[in-house]
Amino acid sequence: MTTSSDPVPPSGRSAILDLAGWARGFGLRMAVIRGESETALGLTRDRHGRTVRPDAAEAALDRRDRAAVVAYTRHLAAYSDALLDTARRALDDLPPARHVTAWRTVLDGLAASATEIHRAIDRPAAPGSAAERSQRRALWPHLVAWAEHGTIAAALADQHHQPEPPLAGEERQRWTAKAQAAQRRGELDLIESWYTADGRLITLAYLVEDDTSTVIALTGDPDAPGWEVIGHYAHEYAAGQALPRPVPAGVLRPDAPSRFNRPPAAPEVSLQELLRDVVEARTSGDVAETLLTATQRGHTAGPLIRMEELLHAAAQFAQALETVQGQRSAARLYALSRQLDFLADEVHDAAEDLAASVAVLPPHRTPATTQIRARPAVDTTPPTPPPRTTAPAHNR
């Protein structure tokens, strides 16, 4: 289960600082493995998501498991312990915050997964055996844990970066006043935002003033009172070098399925297919059945219900941002979700009324026929072409 290209363990301060890069490299490789696996598994399923080629599906999963073990061996096997130690030291230096305890739990989980992976790498089953395939399959959840949560360890290990001191005193007040005036004029263009390890929200923005644009950094919610400018920079790269490093963003649902272990999607009919069914229908019952499919609830929910679920989830996300604009967007999306839910019920009732009419399209709505020129029989003589006339050439 090992490879011939095992990495050399890190030594010295400079190697320790590269630990975040090794973790991110493994995450990128796992994303590629996931994409290749999903493509291969998709070829083993029918249009309803059912596996119709079980042998091919099992072979695709085995290739996935093998590639993931090789990726970990090459990218992280020699660095995981040092990465976790560095991340824990950085975590110990952070001030108390809501996320610190959760991050410590994540690091403990990564340590447990690393122990299981290393045990299997050090004691591999017989090559090519069913035991080896079973061993690799059992490692997949641990490898997924590192692919998904290793970024937290990498971000903590990257906290060695020393940011420049923020603006203070009168200079901070002066730049904050300029930025607030630009916001009132509509000339404060937000670029991106991130959270730092100590829980602060930092936002980059362009401050437009007298036809000139300056990159500034704000701390706090830009749409709420109390935010301040903590720095101004020549460009975005300079801002990134001067400001505290970002940490991984949170998740909407902590118990949501992993993107590496998504269950097969429920079978569903596309809106394009439903529209085609309506256009090709001849009876009211056919159209009513199509509308009922669009508004069906449950595991095989129709497109209208899925759209309502999408809006509801988006509203939850906006609310979880914990910003003023997020709360505004959440209220709007919740209202749209309720309207769509009401609309789905109305469509369902209309479909039932249409089905009760037991009507058909009148016969005068005849289909258009395609004009096709008759082709001559095979044994007939083709018509004689008209004689060619020779006309004198015209000189230009």
Side-chain angles (χ1 to χ4, degrees):
M1 194 176 291
T2 58
T3 67
S4 58
S5 56
D6 292 347
V8 178
S11 60
R13 178 65 177 170
S14 59
I16 295 296
L17 300 185
D18 291 336
L19 291 173
W22 288 108
R24 294 187 180 106
F26 173 71
L28 292 174
R29 179 57 194 149
M30 281 289 285
V32 173
I33 293 171
R34 181 198 65 179
E36 294 172 346
S37 173
E38 288 181 349
T39 300
L41 290 173
L43 297 176
T44 69
R45 302 183 181 120
D46 62 13
R47 64 188 297 267
H48 299 292
R50 296 173 298 203
T51 299
V52 294
R53 299 173 57 200
D55 293 341
E58 183 63 27
L61 291 174
D62 187 52
R63 288 194 300 271
R64 178 203 69 180
D65 298 338
R66 184 187 303 111
V69 172
V70 171
Y72 183 90
T73 304
R74 291 178 175 173
H75 289 276
L76 272 179
Y79 305 107
S80 58
D81 290 342
L83 175 62
L84 290 172
D85 290 342
T86 305
R88 284 195 173 101
R89 287 195 298 269
L91 196 58
D92 292 339
D93 293 336
L94 293 180
R98 288 188 295 175
H99 50 265
V100 170
T101 300
W103 282 352
R104 202 176 301 280
T105 301
V106 169
L107 295 182
D108 291 342
L110 291 176
S113 291
T115 299
E116 293 297 324
I117 298 170
H118 291 172
R119 181 182 294 118
I121 291 176
D122 295 338
R123 302 173 187 173
S129 66
E132 184 189 39
R133 291 191 293 272
S134 177
Q135 187 181 53
R136 285 195 297 251
R137 186 64 50 83
L139 290 182
W140 175 251
H142 300 291
L143 296 164
V144 165
W146 270 95
E148 291 198 313
H149 309 314
T151 52
I152 293 178
L156 289 169
D158 201 25
Q159 294 303 312
H160 62 83
H161 168 72
Q162 293 296 326
E164 295 180 2
L167 298 179
E170 293 183 359
E171 187 177 12
R172 174 183 287 213
Q173 295 175 3
R174 180 166 57 86
W175 277 93
T176 300
K178 291 171 61 175
Q180 291 173 345
Q183 187 182 49
R184 289 191 292 270
R185 298 193 306 268
E187 295 182 332
L188 186 67
D189 300 327
L190 305 183
I191 305 172
E192 63 173 323
S193 64
W194 67 86
Y195 279 95
T196 62
D198 59 3
R200 286 183 298 156
L201 176 63
I202 292 180
T203 302
L204 287 187
Y206 289 121
L207 171 61
V208 181
E209 191 176 37
D210 298 330
D211 295 330
T212 61
S213 179
T214 305
V215 176
I216 62 172
L218 322 173
T219 181
D221 184 354
D223 294 302
W227 60 266
E228 294 181 305
V229 176
I230 59 173
H232 55 89
Y233 314 93
H235 43 72
E236 295 176 46
Y237 178 79
Q241 294 301 305
L243 291 166
R245 292 283 193 261
V247 295
V251 294
L252 178 60
R253 297 171 181 169
D255 57 347
S258 164
R259 58 186 174 136
F260 288 91
N261 292 315
R262 288 174 179 166
E268 58 184 21
V269 184
S270 68
L271 278 174
Q272 184 177 6
E273 190 173 348
L274 293 176
L275 176 59
R276 184 169 62 241
D277 289 344
V278 171
V279 173
E280 295 174 355
R282 301 296 180 91
T283 70
S284 60
D286 294 336
V287 176
E289 183 179 355
T290 301
L291 293 176
L292 291 174
T293 299
T295 58
Q296 182 174 338
R297 298 180 184 272
H299 179 65
T300 55
L304 271 178
I305 305 304
R306 293 297 187 201
M307 189 63 183
E308 187 273 329
E309 293 173 350
L310 172 63
L311 291 177
H312 189 79
Q316 291 179 322
F317 180 91
Q319 189 172 40
L321 293 174
E322 299 181 5
T323 61
V324 171
Q325 184 57 50
Q327 304 309 304
R328 294 171 184 163
S329 297
R332 188 176 182 182
L333 289 167
Y334 276 130
L336 291 171
S337 173
R338 290 190 295 270
Q339 291 176 21
L340 194 55
D341 184 59
F342 173 78
L343 176 62
D345 288 340
E346 289 292 299
V347 173
H348 188 276
D349 291 344
E352 291 182 336
D353 291 342
L354 186 61
S357 70
V358 294
V360 298
L361 292 174
H364 68 79
R365 302 185 67 87
T366 57
T369 57
T370 304
Q371 299 296 328
I372 303 176
R373 295 182 60 183
R375 307 181 78 179
V378 177
D379 57 350
T380 58
T381 304
T384 304
R388 296 182 60 183
T389 57
T390 57
H394 295 282
N395 296 324
R396 294 176 178 253

